[in-house]
Amino acid sequence: MKNIDVCLTPDLLHLHSIDNSIVIIADIFRATSCMITGFAYGVKSIIPVETVEECKKLQEMGYIAAAERNARKVEGFELDNSPFSYMSESLIGEKIAMTTTNGTYSIAKAKASAVKVLAGAFLNLNAIVNYLKTQPYDVLVLCAGWKGRVNIEDTLFAGALIEALEDEYFVPEDSAIMSLRLYKQAKDDLIGYLANSSHIRRLQNLGIHKDIAYCLQKDLYDVVPILRGNELVNL
Amino acid sequence: MKNIDVCLTPDLLHLHSIDNSIVIIADIFRATSCMITGFAYGVKSIIPVETVEECKKLQEMGYIAAAERNARKVEGFELDNSPFSYMSESLIGEKIAMTTTNGTYSIAKAKASAVKVLAGAFLNLNAIVNYLKTQPYDVLVLCAGWKGRVNIEDTLFAGALIEALEDEYFVPEDSAIMSLRLYKQAKDDLIGYLANSSHIRRLQNLGIHKDIAYCLQKDLYDVVPILRGNELVNL
């Protein structure tokens, strides 16, 4: 039987052996939700990079650049970290270079040893589930968190994925059991459950209630972003 | 208003600034439960040390030695990691040297910068609560976890402490909110809630159901183990 496990923040990834695992990166607010939206709207590829400087270099080479730090758009880049900015005809067939506070860092950490790296969010939950079921590998959900700390929304996504897979996967570790139980507690009202979370408070100061509600919708897109070399493409 | 926060494993302690905080170490199964039981039964002091070698050295100097690795007693030491072994008249007034897989490591990590370091467990929950209320400092619960990973039982203790303090403390971070919500879900049946946890499975292989049920009892002892220099004493 395959295992499914959860790493609650990239700062704990050293505790996980992932060389037989598909790693699902979850950065619900908002990096992976943006990526999935972008692919659903026709983006060709997304290169996640760790620094603003790398992102700028790729911008000079013709990529459309997206850079977020501390939940805000970095000046001089085309796209911010709102999924609504990815719903544009101008992005069809384009290549995007993206750096974010937490999501792209997690991808960089995972890609060194994972079998495959996918981008997951509520928006493509079922697409991820269907893909994983066809694969012989263990699964690790890597929650991007916030600057090394755990957060509720990424943990809830991990729980949602486990709930969908628990009949076919073994759930050996407490981090995964905790994620599943929190999700069961939250699932009938995700927005209400998250109302008091630290990141929602951070985001509400930026006035983006619309983004929050959007990112918590399930199964909007049949999209599976997967890392091929250095870039994410739609499977 | 004072803050209460939770660090889910010692491997995340670098993310917390604790120089204005009292740190409560929680290693429910079973290091801090043992310490509290020991003090309740008249132990004079407990020196937590990180290595089996240090423990042996103190044993040669007349300390009663307690060493656990991977949930088992290390050969050649008097005490194992069962709280029942601390209920002995022979320990009254004695000094103990203790090393465990997770609990003593957490104490060593916290003592470098915390204002005070206490040992907490369900057994002395209310005693800890009453003491903290008299103090002007923020609180961090440091869950000892298992070899760097999070575990459910220490997280539940953190949640129980927050529930008891939430009227007087601000709960700013998601790790603390998650702990509180898990505890609210679990509190009516802690043993049942933990039945599937990874550490319970580990311990059940060692046949210690009795220890588990004991360590989940609330407010058995009015004891507050506090670190003074290198040794824990009862406040």
Side-chain angles (χ1 to χ4, degrees):
Chain A
M1 203 171 181
K2 297 177 279 184
N3 280 345
I4 185 162
D5 196 1
V6 176
C7 181
L8 292 172
T9 119
D11 281 29
L12 294 177
L13 191 59
H14 60 282
L15 301 168
H16 297 262
S17 118
I18 54 172
D19 45 329
N20 191 46
S21 296
I22 297 179
V23 173
I24 320 295
I25 310 291
D27 186 0
I28 301 304
F29 300 142
R30 296 165 280 167
T32 55
S33 297
C34 284
M35 291 169 175
I36 291 152
T37 303
F39 284 117
Y41 278 80
V43 162
K44 189 180 173 198
S45 66
I46 299 175
I47 299 200
V49 294
E50 283 194 74
T51 65
V52 172
E53 291 65 40
E54 288 171 88
C55 209
K56 196 163 280 174
K57 238 177 246 171
L58 287 165
Q59 187 184 33
E60 287 160 9
M61 292 164 62
Y63 285 74
I64 295 179
E68 168 266 333
R69 282 294 178 274
N70 299 315
R72 291 166 191 279
K73 177 170 147 179
V74 180
E75 214 156 323
F77 293 92
E78 287 90 349
L79 292 166
D80 65 14
N81 203 24
S82 168
F84 291 100
S85 71
Y86 288 76
M87 296 176 182
S88 162
E89 281 194 7
S90 66
L91 297 180
I92 295 174
E94 293 289 345
K95 293 174 155 201
I96 291 175
M98 182 191 285
T99 185
T100 68
T101 310
N102 307 292
T104 52
Y105 170 66
S106 296
I107 292 172
K109 280 199 91 164
K111 79 178 177 191
S113 39
V115 177
K116 302 177 189 193
V117 175
L118 312 180
F122 290 106
L123 297 173
N124 72 339
L125 178 62
N126 204 40
I128 294 278
V129 166
N130 289 337
Y131 176 70
L132 291 175
K133 286 183 176 177
T134 69
Q135 298 291 306
Y137 304 106
D138 292 334
V139 170
L140 178 75
V141 184
L142 174 51
C143 300
W146 182 262
K147 298 184 178 179
R149 295 207 48 153
V150 306
N151 73 31
I152 302 183
E153 65 273 15
D154 297 343
T155 306
L156 291 179
F157 168 78
L161 194 68
I162 293 169
E163 187 181 67
L165 291 170
E166 66 178 332
D167 291 341
E168 298 180 36
Y169 287 72
F170 180 51
V171 186
E173 292 289 344
D174 279 9
S175 54
I177 296 169
M178 287 160 62
S179 304
L180 176 60
R181 298 220 178 131
L182 285 168
Y183 178 68
K184 285 181 190 291
Q185 195 179 45
K187 66 179 178 179
D188 293 334
D189 177 18
L190 289 177
I191 294 179
Y193 195 85
L194 282 162
N196 194 35
S197 73
S198 59
H199 198 52
I200 291 277
R201 279 184 269 124
R202 216 175 277 126
L203 291 176
Q204 269 169 345
N205 293 337
L206 302 171
I208 44 182
H209 307 259
K210 213 175 84 174
D211 282 19
I212 293 166
Y214 172 80
C215 292
L216 296 175
Q217 289 175 286
K218 267 174 233 165
D219 303 328
L220 244 52
Y221 307 119
D222 190 24
V223 157
V224 178
I226 185 166
L227 202 62
R228 302 255 190 245
N230 287 323
E231 62 181 17
L232 287 156
V233 296
N234 189 3
L235 190 77
Chain B
M1 203 170 180
K2 297 177 279 184
N3 280 344
I4 185 164
D5 196 2
V6 177
C7 181
L8 292 170
T9 117
D11 281 29
L12 295 176
L13 191 59
H14 60 282
L15 301 168
H16 297 262
S17 117
I18 54 173
D19 44 330
N20 191 47
S21 296
I22 296 180
V23 173
I24 319 296
I25 310 292
D27 186 0
I28 302 303
F29 300 143
R30 295 166 282 167
T32 55
S33 297
C34 284
M35 291 169 176
I36 292 152
T37 304
F39 285 116
Y41 278 80
V43 162
K44 187 181 173 199
S45 67
I46 299 175
I47 300 200
V49 295
E50 283 195 73
T51 66
V52 172
E53 291 65 37
E54 287 170 87
C55 209
K56 197 163 281 176
K57 238 177 248 173
L58 288 164
Q59 187 184 33
E60 288 160 9
M61 291 164 61
Y63 285 74
I64 295 180
E68 168 267 330
R69 281 296 178 272
N70 298 315
R72 290 166 191 279
K73 177 170 147 179
V74 180
E75 214 154 324
F77 293 92
E78 286 92 347
L79 293 166
D80 64 14
N81 203 23
S82 167
F84 292 99
S85 71
Y86 289 76
M87 297 175 183
S88 162
E89 280 193 7
S90 66
L91 298 180
I92 295 174
E94 293 288 347
K95 293 174 153 203
I96 291 176
M98 183 192 283
T99 185
T100 68
T101 308
N102 307 292
T104 52
Y105 170 66
S106 296
I107 292 172
K109 281 199 90 164
K111 77 177 177 191
S113 40
V115 178
K116 301 177 190 197
V117 175
L118 312 180
F122 290 104
L123 298 174
N124 72 339
L125 178 61
N126 204 41
I128 294 278
V129 166
N130 289 336
Y131 176 70
L132 291 175
K133 286 182 177 177
T134 69
Q135 298 291 306
Y137 304 106
D138 293 334
V139 170
L140 178 74
V141 185
L142 173 52
C143 300
W146 181 262
K147 297 183 177 178
R149 295 206 49 153
V150 307
N151 73 30
I152 303 182
E153 64 274 14
D154 297 343
T155 306
L156 291 179
F157 168 77
L161 195 68
I162 294 169
E163 187 181 67
L165 292 170
E166 65 178 331
D167 291 340
E168 298 180 35
Y169 287 72
F170 180 52
V171 186
E173 292 288 344
D174 279 10
S175 53
I177 297 169
M178 287 160 61
S179 303
L180 176 60
R181 297 219 178 134
L182 285 168
Y183 178 68
K184 284 182 190 291
Q185 194 179 47
K187 67 179 177 180
D188 293 333
D189 178 18
L190 289 177
I191 294 179
Y193 194 85
L194 282 163
N196 194 36
S197 72
S198 57
H199 197 53
I200 292 277
R201 279 185 268 122
R202 217 176 277 126
L203 290 176
Q204 270 171 345
N205 293 337
L206 302 171
I208 44 182
H209 307 261
K210 214 174 81 173
D211 282 18
I212 293 166
Y214 172 80
C215 293
L216 296 174
Q217 289 174 285
K218 266 174 235 167
D219 303 328
L220 245 52
Y221 307 118
D222 190 24
V223 157
V224 178
I226 186 165
L227 202 62
R228 302 254 190 245
N230 286 322
E231 61 181 18
L232 287 157
V233 296
N234 189 3
L235 190 75

Coordinates of all heavy atoms in Angstrom, one line a residue, chain A residues 12 23-24 49 62 65 70 101 103 117 119 126 144 155 159 180 223:
Chain A
L12 N 10.8 21.7 7.7 CA 10.8 20.3 8.2 C 11.1 19.3 7.1 O 11.0 18.1 7.4 CB 9.5 20.0 9.0 CG 9.2 20.8 10.2 CD1 7.9 20.5 10.8 CD2 10.3 20.6 11.3
V23 N 5.8 14.8 -4.7 CA 5.6 15.9 -3.8 C 4.6 16.9 -4.4 O 4.7 17.3 -5.5 CB 6.9 16.6 -3.4 CG1 6.6 17.8 -2.6 CG2 7.8 15.6 -2.7
I24 N 3.5 17.1 -3.6 CA 2.5 18.1 -4.0 C 2.8 19.4 -3.2 O 2.7 19.4 -2.0 CB 1.1 17.7 -3.6 CG1 0.9 16.2 -3.9 CG2 0.1 18.6 -4.3 CD1 1.0 15.8 -5.3
V49 N 11.2 30.6 -9.6 CA 12.6 30.9 -9.3 C 12.6 31.4 -7.8 O 11.6 31.9 -7.3 CB 13.3 31.9 -10.2 CG1 13.4 31.3 -11.6 CG2 12.4 33.2 -10.3
G62 N 12.3 37.8 -22.0 CA 11.0 37.7 -22.7 C 9.9 37.0 -21.9 O 8.8 36.9 -22.4
A65 N 6.8 38.3 -16.0 CA 7.3 38.1 -14.7 C 6.3 38.4 -13.6 O 5.5 39.3 -13.7 CB 8.5 39.0 -14.5
N70 N 6.2 39.2 0.8 CA 5.3 39.6 1.9 C 3.9 39.9 1.5 O 3.3 40.9 1.9 CB 5.9 40.8 2.6 CG 7.3 40.5 3.2 OD1 7.4 39.4 3.8 ND2 8.3 41.3 3.0
T101 N 7.1 34.4 -1.8 CA 7.7 34.3 -0.5 C 7.9 32.8 -0.1 O 8.9 32.5 0.5 CB 6.8 35.0 0.6 OG1 6.5 36.3 0.1 CG2 7.6 35.1 1.9
G103 N 6.0 29.7 -1.8 CA 5.7 28.6 -2.8 C 6.9 28.2 -3.6 O 7.2 27.0 -3.7
V117 N 7.3 16.6 -8.9 CA 6.8 17.7 -8.1 C 5.6 18.3 -8.9 O 5.6 18.7 -10.0 CB 7.9 18.8 -8.0 CG1 7.3 20.0 -7.2 CG2 9.1 18.2 -7.2
A119 N 2.0 21.0 -8.5 CA 1.4 22.1 -7.8 C 0.0 21.8 -7.5 O -0.8 21.6 -8.4 CB 1.6 23.4 -8.6
N126 N -9.3 17.5 -7.3 CA -9.7 16.3 -7.9 C -8.8 15.8 -9.0 O -8.5 14.7 -9.2 CB -11.2 16.4 -8.4 CG -11.8 15.0 -8.5 OD1 -11.6 14.2 -7.6 ND2 -12.6 14.8 -9.5
A144 N 3.5 25.0 2.0 CA 4.5 26.1 1.8 C 4.6 26.9 3.1 O 5.7 27.5 3.4 CB 4.2 27.0 0.6
T155 N -2.4 23.4 5.4 CA -2.7 22.2 6.2 C -4.0 21.6 5.8 O -4.2 20.4 5.7 CB -2.6 22.5 7.7 OG1 -1.3 23.1 8.0 CG2 -2.7 21.2 8.5
G159 N -5.1 18.0 4.3 CA -6.2 17.2 4.8 C -7.2 16.8 3.8 O -7.7 15.6 3.8
L180 N -5.7 15.8 8.4 CA -7.0 15.2 8.0 C -8.1 15.6 9.0 O -9.2 16.0 8.7 CB -6.9 13.7 8.0 CG -8.1 12.9 7.7 CD1 -8.7 13.2 6.4 CD2 -7.8 11.4 7.8
V223 N -6.5 20.6 -14.1 CA -5.2 21.0 -14.5 C -4.2 20.4 -13.5 O -4.5 20.3 -12.3 CB -5.1 22.6 -14.4 CG1 -3.7 23.0 -14.2 CG2 -5.7 23.2 -15.6

